[in-house]
Amino acid sequence: MYVTPEKIRKLADEKGYIIVAHNYQIPELQQIADYLGDSLQLARIVTRIDAKKILFLGVDFMAEVMKVLNPEKKIIVPVRYSTCPMANSLTVEDVLKYKEIYKGVPVVVYVNSRTEVKAVADVVCTSANAVDVVKALDSDTILFGPDKNLTSYVAEKTGKNIIPIPGETGYCYVHNYVKDSEIKKMMSKYPNAEVMVHPEVPKNIRNLAHFIGSTSQMEKYPASSKANEFIVVTEVGMPAKLEKLYPDKVFIPVPSMVCYNMKKNNLRNTYLALLEEKIEVTLDSELIAKARKAIERMLEITE
Ligand code: 13P
Ligand code: SF4
C-alpha cells in the first residue's frame, strides 16, 4: 500500500480526526499535523479545541498525558509499543521507597515518566519549566527523576540539594550518549554556528552550548540570536520543525541522535491507525485523577 501525507490528511478530515504530533516525528508526519509541539504544549492545546477525536504521534507517556488532561476525548495512536525507556526507568516502587527514606521531601517528576509514577508524585515538570517548579517549592531538598542529567542541570540552576531518583540508571539514551568529540567536530565544520542543547544531555555537552532549552524553548531562541546557523543537539526530528519556523536560517542535526521509538510511527501505520481506529489510549479514572493532580500543581506554579 502506497501512502502519501495527502492521503492521511484526507482520511483524517473525512473521519473528523485532529492530528497532533511531537517535534521528533519524521518530517512527513510533521507536515500533516494540525498541531506540532512538545508533549505538554500539545496536551494543553487539545484541552482548548473542540475536536472529540485525536490521532497522536509521539510516544506512549505523551499520549497518556493527553488522555489525563482530556479524558473525554478519543485518542488513538499508530503503534502500541512506542515507548520512552527513560520514562520507564522510574517505578512506583522506587518513588515510594525514596519517599519513605526522605520523609516530607517533595517529589518532582519529569513529564517523561509513567502515568502511575505521576500519580504518586507531588508535582510534574517539563524540561522547559523544571527550574521554575523546583525554585517554587518550599524545600531546599527535592527528590527529582527520572533524568539524572536534567537533575544535575536543575541543581546547578537552583542551588538546591536535588536527589536523583532512580539515580545513575535514569537517562535518555539518545541524549546521554552523544559524544563531545562529535559536537566539537561539527563546531569546527560550522565555525559560525551556535550550539543549542537539550537539558537531557550530560554536563560536558551542556558546557559546549550557546543555549540550553527544551524543544519549545529551542523554537524561540533563533528569533533573538544573530546567528544564521545552529547545531541542534537533540533528536534529529527537531531541525525540520525549526526550518519551517525560520526558513532563512540553517539547522544542523546531530546524526547519531535518533529516538527509535519516536521513529516507529510512519506514513503506513499512521494511515492504518485512522482506517482501523483500533489502538486507543485508555486509562483508569482513578489513575487519571491522581496523575492530574500532580500535573495541575505544575500548571498552578508555572502559569
Ligand atoms: P521536550 O519536552 O523538550 O519536547 O522533550 C521531550 C523529550 O522526549 C526529550 O527527549
Ligand atoms: Fe524518551 Fe529520549 Fe526518546 Fe525523548 S528522545 S522520547 S527522552 S527516549
Side-chain angles (χ1 to χ4, degrees):
M1 181 177 39
Y2 182 63
V3 178
T4 60
E6 294 70 28
K7 202 167 161 181
I8 299 175
R9 197 53 266 178
K10 187 165 172 281
L11 186 59
D13 292 341
E14 278 167 16
K15 291 198 156 194
Y17 273 91
I18 294 293
I19 303 178
V20 176
H22 187 266
N23 292 325
Y24 294 165
Q25 292 298 292
I26 57 170
E28 296 83 342
L29 291 175
Q30 293 193 15
Q31 174 196 329
I32 54 160
D34 293 284
Y35 299 98
L36 182 64
D38 75 22
S39 58
L40 191 78
Q41 256 178 350
L42 295 173
R44 293 175 78 184
I45 286 169
V46 169
T47 62
R48 294 180 202 125
I49 60 176
D50 239 0
K52 302 255 178 309
K53 297 197 287 185
I54 312 290
L55 168 66
F56 177 70
L57 305 174
V59 292
D60 57 2
F61 79 83
M62 298 180 174
E64 291 186 9
V65 170
M66 190 151 297
K67 186 69 183 173
V68 167
L69 292 182
N70 301 275
E72 73 296 348
K73 296 190 171 153
K74 176 171 182 170
I75 299 172
I76 61 164
V77 294
V79 182
R80 201 177 292 281
Y81 302 109
S82 170
T83 193
C84 168
M86 178 172 71
N88 301 337
S89 70
L90 181 63
T91 65
V92 170
E93 291 71 31
D94 291 332
V95 176
L96 297 180
K97 184 184 81 189
Y98 277 92
K99 271 175 131 172
E100 188 57 33
I101 300 170
Y102 296 92
K103 282 208 172 61
V105 173
V107 179
V108 180
V109 293
Y110 188 24
V111 68
N112 292 45
S113 57
R114 304 297 329 150
T115 306
E116 292 78 3
V117 163
K118 292 183 179 81
V120 292
D122 294 297
V123 53
V124 170
C125 73
T126 68
S127 48
N129 64 25
V131 171
D132 293 337
V133 167
V134 166
K135 273 189 185 162
L137 295 174
D138 187 20
S139 172
D140 283 337
T141 304
I142 309 278
L143 292 165
F144 189 105
D147 187 19
K148 64 174 181 181
N149 294 322
L150 184 61
T151 307
S152 86
Y153 176 66
V154 171
E156 233 171 71
K157 288 280 174 190
T158 61
K160 292 196 179 186
N161 175 28
I162 319 277
I163 300 161
I165 53 170
E168 278 307 302
T169 52
Y171 59 83
C172 160
Y173 69 96
V174 179
H175 290 82
N176 189 61
Y177 292 123
V178 61
K179 297 256 180 306
D180 58 2
S181 55
E182 185 178 11
I183 306 303
K184 283 180 183 159
K185 215 161 138 190
M186 293 176 78
M187 289 168 80
S188 329
K189 190 167 172 198
Y190 304 97
N192 298 322
E194 286 197 347
V195 178
M196 296 199 282
V197 314
H198 195 282
E200 285 179 14
V201 297
K203 184 160 171 55
N204 65 327
I205 306 294
R206 289 206 301 272
N207 288 343
L208 301 174
H210 295 85
F211 175 76
I212 302 171
S214 67
T215 60
S216 55
Q217 290 167 327
M218 284 182 184
E219 286 173 26
K220 295 184 195 124
Y221 177 68
S224 63
S225 164
K226 288 198 175 69
N228 286 318
E229 292 178 327
F230 300 85
I231 297 167
V232 186
V233 188
T234 190
E235 213 276 341
V236 292
M238 190 62 200
K241 166 89 183 265
L242 296 169
E243 276 161 15
K244 279 257 154 46
L245 294 173
Y246 302 96
D248 297 335
K249 301 201 178 206
V250 176
F251 298 94
I252 306 139
V254 180
S256 65
M257 297 185 76
V258 180
C259 174
Y260 292 101
N261 279 289
M262 284 281 180
K263 270 37 186 187
K264 282 182 183 167
N265 295 328
N266 55 41
L267 289 173
R268 188 173 188 276
N269 59 27
T270 298
Y271 182 75
L272 286 176
L274 282 169
L275 200 65
E276 298 169 351
E277 300 177 71
K278 264 215 286 252
I279 313 179
E280 185 177 347
V281 181
T282 54
L283 291 174
D284 175 74
S285 57
E286 206 175 311
L287 177 61
I288 289 182
K290 285 185 181 157
R292 194 178 174 122
K293 246 173 113 179
I295 297 176
E296 278 171 354
R297 176 105 192 265
M298 166 185 73
L299 300 178
E300 281 161 23
I301 291 173
T302 56
E303 251 177 353

